[in-house]
């Protein structure tokens, strides 16, 4: 694991080198103001109807679909010059996708960025919700690959729209039933469907089901953007979010078999590493920021 | 139904069974001249099996989708007696209510089981889907019910976790029947339920259907072009030709003494084995 910078880094410092390069000729945060307005209108509607998928006119972004274009458009639309941005991919701040998206907004919006969950005002993510509890003044932005939770069983968009409109969600349990048939337990471990505000079925994007309980009654605003499918949805703060289940197979967040090899945490989501060619396994926190902080508190150098 | 045939009927039971379950009035949907169906009116009683017979293109399947709430008519109405004496006009009721009817009190058995089953999920999930849609949330009970219904349609209980694509055509059709009957419907629509099956399998399914219909006191509207199927299952027949009903009456009466020239042709064209 690399020794990462943990201080909040202001793009100001790199301004000289960028002044006349990438950001030149681009609007603040890349998208033009009318596009950002259009996305914000969509987001307002999404917040007003928790869990409902709002179509929006998704733009081409300078990176391929599947790399976070939906999340980036949402971030661009809500970003203000005084915001502090954190971007994570698989919980880590130092993976390619996270580094690229962070650099993108450093260059096009010149906003401050950070790796500290507690300091960020906007956290863009693909797979995780940080272990550090979120606060009221924070916003989560999720990059969503497939926004439609009913898609696996119903390929038709008109039909899924009708099922949502009528609240006809019986087929969702068919998926869980099949899991139990095949595996003896509910084996869906990411994108685990949730019912929002006792109304809409929602795909919480590919977060592990370990993170599902963090959606429920979260004090932070959560915004979801799907770039390829051009859909927005949202969880306003303090929304009821229930992971669907069976009476005799209740929802259970994943339990981990080990503790973090770096910081010793036993209650975080862990990545499994195979460290030699005899199959020795180590576990480390997937949330790098939390891991460093926790290690620091115990005087361990991560 | 003739109440006189029942020696000691309870007063309200007689009242309920002498009221129709479905009232169809002047039902019309045309796609072109004599294409579709027009001016169809009839009553269907609880426990009665009504056969719709006629040649290809005579409007049988159009009529079935109008009756089952799948296609809105140009004019006319379909009324369903949801409970004791409350009539529900299914096209005024709204889509939510129609869909709810179709997965609770009604069933629909498609000619091709692939259209009526979810081919990618197990037989048990196929049977349990209606119950889950109605709010059943206990896996153990859902599975028990699925096994019970597999046995009802003569499929081995050990096949409960197999997907329907691993089943033979006849088994798929029986699974489709189980999937529909699990919600204890009062009315089942069937579109050529034995259409694509070989003769020995047909016979077995007809036998099964006949006993289930009697056992569960189902009302059935059955589309078929096979008069032998109609003879075996149906109490009453509507003969359709060029979008209209040309003759209606008791099955034996129509098949043994057809009045309309077209019905006479239809009956005489059946090969005598």
């Amino acid at each position: 694991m690399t020794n990462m910078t943990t201080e909040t880094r202001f793009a100001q410092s790199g301004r000289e080198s960028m002044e006349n390069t990438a950001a030149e000729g681009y609007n603040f945060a890349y998208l033009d103001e009318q596009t950002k307005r259009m996305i914000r209108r969509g987001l307002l509607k999404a917040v007003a109807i928790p869990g409902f998928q709002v179509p929006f006119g998704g733009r081409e972004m300078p990176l391929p679909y599947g790399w976070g274009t939906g999340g980036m458009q949402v971030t661009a639309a809500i970003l203000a010059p005084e915001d502090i941005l954190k971007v994570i991919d698989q919980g880590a701040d130092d993976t390619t996708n996270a580094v690229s998206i962070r650099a993108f907004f450093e260059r096009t919006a010149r906003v401050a960025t950070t790796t500290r969950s507690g300091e960020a005002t906007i956290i863009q993510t693909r797979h995780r919700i940080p272990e550090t509890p979120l606060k009221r003044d924070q916003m989560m932005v999720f990059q969503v690959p497939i926004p439609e939770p009913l898609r696996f069983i119903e390929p038709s968009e008109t039909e899924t729209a009708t099922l949502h409109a009528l609240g006809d969600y019986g087929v969702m349990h068919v998926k869980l039933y099949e899991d139990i048939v095949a595996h003896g337990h509910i084996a869906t471990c990411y994108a685990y469907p949730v019912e929002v505000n006792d109304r809409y079925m929602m795909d919480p994007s590919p977060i592990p089901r370990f993170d599902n309980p963090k959606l429920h009654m979260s004090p932070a605003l959560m915004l979801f953007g799907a770039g390829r499918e051009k859909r927005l949805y949202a969880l306003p703060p303090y929304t009821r979010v229930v992971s669907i289940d069976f009476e005799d197979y209740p929802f259970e967040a994943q339990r981990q078999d080990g503790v973090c090899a770096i910081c010793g945490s036993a209650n975080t989501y862990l990545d499994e590493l195979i460290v030699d060619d005899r199959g020795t396994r180590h576990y480390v926190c997937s949330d790098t920021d939390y891991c460093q902080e926790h290690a620091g508190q115990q005087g361990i150098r991560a | 139904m003739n109440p006189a045939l029942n020696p000691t009927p309870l007063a309200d039971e007689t009242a309920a069974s002498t009221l129709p379950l479905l009232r169809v009035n002047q039902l019309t949907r045309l796609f072109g001249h004599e294409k579709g169906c027009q001016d169809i009116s009839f009553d269907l009683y609880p426990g009665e099996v009504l056969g719709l017979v006629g040649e290809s293109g005579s409007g049988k399947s159009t009529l079935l989708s109008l009756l089952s709430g799948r296609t809105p008519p140009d004019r006319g109405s379909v009324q369903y007696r949801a409970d004791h004496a409350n009539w529900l006009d299914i096209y005024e009721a709204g889509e939510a209510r129609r869909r709810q009817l179709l997965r609770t009190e009604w069933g629909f058995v498609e000619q091709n089981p692939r259209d009526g089953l979810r081919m990618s999920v197990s037989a048990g999930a196929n049977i349990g889907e209606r119950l889950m849609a109605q709010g059943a949330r206990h896996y153990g009970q859902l599975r028990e019910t699925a096994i019970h219904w597999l046995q009802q349609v003569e499929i081995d209980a050990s096949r409960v976790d197999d997907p329907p694509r691993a089943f033979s055509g006849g088994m798929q059709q029986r699974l489709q029947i189980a999937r529909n009957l699990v919600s204890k419907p009062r009315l089942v629509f069937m579109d050529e339920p034995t259409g694509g099956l070989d003769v020995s399998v047909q016979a077995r399914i007809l036998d099964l259907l006949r006993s289930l219909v009697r056992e569960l006191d189902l009302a059935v509207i059955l589309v078929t072009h096979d008069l032998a199927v109609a003879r075996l299952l149906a109490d009453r027949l509507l003969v359709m030709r060029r979008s209209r009903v040309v003759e209606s009456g008791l099955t034996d009466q129509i098949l043994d003494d057809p009045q309309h020239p077209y019905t006479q042709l239809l009956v005489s064209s059946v090969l005598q084995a």
Side-chain angles (χ1 to χ4, degrees):
Chain A
M1 189 150 286
T2 54
N3 194 2
M4 266 190 336
T5 154
T6 53
E7 83 278 14
T8 298
R9 184 152 49 92
F10 287 86
Q12 201 72 25
S13 59
R15 193 159 211 170
E16 289 75 25
S17 61
M18 289 178 206
E19 191 78 83
N20 297 314
T21 56
E24 183 72 18
Y26 285 101
N27 192 33
F28 175 76
Y30 184 76
L31 292 174
D32 64 274
E33 290 306 313
Q34 289 303 322
T35 299
K36 290 197 273 182
R37 251 188 196 182
M38 173 270 293
I39 295 172
R40 285 195 293 264
R41 278 198 297 270
L43 289 173
L44 285 174
K45 185 170 178 182
V47 168
I49 319 171
F52 174 74
Q53 297 168 46
V54 181
F56 78 110
R59 297 292 189 257
E60 291 291 330
M61 296 300 279
L63 75 172
Y65 291 126
W67 289 23
T69 54
M72 286 173 76
Q73 290 180 75
V74 172
T75 300
I78 61 173
L79 203 60
E82 60 274 19
D83 272 317
I84 304 170
L85 179 67
K86 172 182 164 82
V87 184
I88 49 175
D89 180 22
Q90 301 282 8
D93 294 273
D94 57 354
T95 48
T96 312
N97 202 217
V99 169
S100 311
I101 293 174
R102 193 164 57 230
F104 178 85
F105 284 112
E106 280 172 358
R107 292 171 75 174
T108 59
R110 302 209 173 116
V111 290
T113 58
T114 183
T115 58
R116 307 296 297 268
S117 302
E119 289 171 11
T121 57
I122 297 175
I123 303 174
Q124 183 174 330
T125 179
R126 180 175 186 77
H127 305 96
R128 290 300 317 281
I129 297 173
E131 307 287 358
T132 312
L134 298 170
K135 296 176 298 189
R136 287 184 64 165
D137 55 355
Q138 293 183 306
M139 286 185 274
M140 291 288 301
V141 176
F142 294 79
Q143 305 163 201
V144 180
I146 299 170
E148 179 51 75
L150 301 162
R151 182 65 71 237
F152 75 99
I153 206 148
E154 183 48 70
S156 152
E157 179 67 25
T158 29
E159 182 61 20
T160 54
T162 312
L163 294 176
H164 281 296
L166 300 176
D168 191 352
Y169 292 130
V171 291
M172 292 309 299
H173 278 82
V174 171
K175 181 180 158 77
L176 299 188
Y177 181 101
E178 281 303 285
D179 263 8
I180 303 174
V181 166
H183 306 286
H185 59 96
I186 299 177
T188 302
C189 54
Y190 67 95
Y192 190 104
V194 292
E195 193 181 65
V196 173
N197 203 24
D198 305 314
R199 177 62 184 86
Y200 283 99
M201 197 62 72
M202 190 189 95
D203 185 327
S205 97
I207 60 170
R209 74 169 194 260
F210 180 88
D211 283 344
N212 270 25
K214 295 177 189 159
L215 298 168
H216 178 59
M217 291 292 167
S218 165
L221 172 63
M222 302 200 171
L223 304 171
F224 298 76
R228 180 173 14 218
E229 308 242 349
K230 299 179 172 50
R231 291 288 186 280
L232 302 168
Y233 50 102
L235 293 175
Y238 304 108
T239 303
R240 266 175 60 79
V241 178
V242 179
S243 306
I244 63 170
D245 60 4
F246 284 109
E247 286 158 18
D248 45 346
Y249 287 85
F251 171 81
E252 211 174 36
Q254 287 114 315
R255 269 188 305 232
Q256 310 282 332
D257 306 333
V259 295
C260 174
I262 296 171
C263 74
S265 288
N267 56 354
T268 58
Y269 189 70
L270 301 173
D271 289 337
E272 183 182 313
L273 303 176
I274 295 175
V275 291
D276 59 22
D277 47 13
R278 291 193 309 275
T280 310
R281 287 178 163 79
H282 276 184
Y283 294 96
V284 292
C285 290
S286 106
D287 184 338
T288 52
D289 169 60
Y290 176 87
C291 191
Q292 284 178 358
E293 195 174 327
H294 192 240
Q297 283 163 4
Q298 301 179 39
I300 307 165
R301 190 178 146 79
Chain B
M1 268 203 184
N2 186 350
L5 294 176
N6 193 343
T8 53
L10 293 171
D12 60 336
E13 263 185 20
T14 317
S17 60
T18 50
L19 278 176
L21 192 63
L22 200 69
R23 267 196 323 220
V24 180
N25 190 28
Q26 300 285 306
L27 204 59
T28 300
R29 166 89 192 201
L30 286 175
F31 304 103
H33 181 65
E34 294 186 339
K35 296 271 186 301
C37 61
Q38 54 186 320
D39 294 329
I40 313 282
S41 301
F42 65 88
D43 288 349
L44 180 78
Y45 288 83
E48 183 185 31
V49 180
L50 177 74
L52 301 177
V53 297
E55 63 195 357
S56 283
S58 60
K60 306 185 296 284
S61 295
T62 305
L63 178 56
L64 198 68
S65 60
L66 291 175
L67 293 173
S68 58
R70 294 177 163 194
T71 316
D74 296 337
R75 48 175 195 279
S77 66
V78 181
Q79 289 175 304
Y80 172 69
R81 188 162 54 83
D83 45 57
H84 208 68
N86 284 335
W87 288 94
L88 178 80
D89 186 310
I90 62 161
Y91 287 102
E92 278 170 15
E95 188 166 7
R97 182 77 176 101
R98 263 203 306 281
R99 279 178 178 245
Q100 192 221 345
L101 268 183
L102 253 175
R103 63 162 190 252
T104 54
E105 294 177 40
W106 293 4
F108 199 112
V109 177
E110 307 270 1
Q111 174 172 7
N112 186 343
R114 280 160 194 278
D115 298 332
L117 292 172
R118 288 194 190 281
M119 298 304 284
S120 56
V121 304
S122 69
N126 267 288
I127 296 178
E129 183 178 338
R130 277 175 171 235
L131 301 176
M132 292 186 240
Q134 287 167 43
R137 293 289 178 267
H138 193 285
Y139 173 81
Q141 287 165 11
L142 284 164
R143 200 175 147 84
E144 261 174 48
T145 313
I147 289 173
H148 168 76
W149 275 99
L150 281 182
Q151 287 163 343
Q152 288 285 300
V153 297
E154 298 165 19
I155 296 175
D156 195 286
S158 65
R159 303 300 298 270
V160 67
D161 293 338
D162 293 348
R165 67 186 133 75
F167 288 8
S168 71
M171 282 167 75
Q172 287 180 1
Q173 196 57 290
R174 277 179 278 146
L175 178 61
Q176 198 195 173
I177 291 166
R179 172 181 155 93
N180 274 284
L181 296 186
V182 66
S183 65
K184 308 223 163 67
R186 300 163 74 201
L187 172 59
V188 179
F189 301 94
M190 298 187 187
D191 192 357
E192 308 261 15
T194 57
L197 305 170
D198 74 54
V199 183
S200 62
V201 178
Q202 266 194 31
R204 192 160 168 211
I205 289 195
L206 289 174
D207 201 38
L208 176 76
L209 277 177
R210 198 158 59 157
S211 57
L212 286 173
V213 162
R214 298 276 182 276
E215 219 171 281
L216 305 171
D217 199 26
L218 289 176
V220 177
I221 297 183
L222 170 81
V223 163
T224 182
H225 61 260
D226 186 338
L227 292 183
V229 172
R231 165 101 68 183
L232 210 57
L233 284 180
D235 301 316
R236 202 150 60 93
L237 288 185
L238 299 182
V239 183
M240 290 190 70
R241 188 191 184 216
R242 293 192 187 156
S243 77
R244 293 173 203 276
V245 171
V246 293
E247 188 167 355
S248 67
L250 295 176
T251 304
D252 291 343
Q253 180 192 327
I254 287 195
L255 296 182
D256 297 340
D257 182 18
Q259 302 295 310
H260 189 276
Y262 173 71
T263 317
Q264 291 169 352
L265 182 72
L266 199 68
V267 171
S268 66
S269 66
V270 174
L271 293 173
Q272 299 299 325

